[in-house]
Amino acid sequence: QLQLVESGGAFVQPGGSLRLSCAASGFTGFTLDHYAIGWFRQAPGKEREGVSCISGSGGITDYAESVKGRFTISRDNGKNTVYLRMNSLKPEDTAVYYCAAVRFWSCSLRSGGYDNWGQGTQVTVSS
């Protein structure tokens, strides 16, 4: 079982930027490079949606259409951390953002395949 801790959420004005971090820890000898990481978000009254994901090696990434060109996912396996850089933020990006992990060679924006989840970090975009 992995422990995932998100950070970096904040209140920001439209057009602003944030960088979210997802720090992973686990059993002795654990390395994050065997795990795909996904970022998901859930706004009040809405279903959880996939935002972005990255494979263990970092060679495969995917983005929801709503964030393409604005968000960038990256990872530093040496630090067991995955990042989500969010630029040109819009009010509709307001949500609790979660990271999730699963042992998988690729990655997916579907939440059902992930079996390790963080507690989430709040992002609020408002003027």
Side-chain angles (χ1 to χ4, degrees), residues 13-105:
Q13 292 187 339
S17 297
L18 286 174
R19 188 181 78 162
L20 305 184
S21 298
C22 173
S25 61
F27 48 86
T28 302
F30 154 80
T31 57
L32 195 59
D33 55 357
H34 296 298
Y35 292 82
I37 302 294
W39 281 100
F40 298 84
R41 67 186 180 187
Q42 188 165 21
K46 294 188 177 181
E47 293 187 355
R48 186 173 296 184
E49 64 170 335
V51 174
S52 182
C53 67
I54 187 167
S55 63
S57 67
I60 298 172
T61 60
D62 199 7
Y63 297 90
E65 285 297 324
S66 59
V67 306
K68 279 183 180 178
R70 300 189 298 123
F71 290 13
T72 303
I73 193 169
S74 62
R75 64 192 298 154
D76 184 340
N77 287 338
K79 295 182 178 179
N80 287 336
T81 302
V82 174
Y83 306 98
L84 184 68
R85 178 69 180 182
M86 307 188 296
N87 295 329
S88 303
L89 283 162
K90 305 175 181 180
E92 51 263 43
D93 295 317
T94 296
V96 177
Y97 283 71
Y98 301 87
C99 66
V102 64
R103 286 187 70 106
F104 184 46
W105 67 274

Side-chain angles (χ1 to χ4, degrees), residues 5 64 90-91 107 115:
V5 179
K90 305 175 181 180
C107 78
D115 51 10

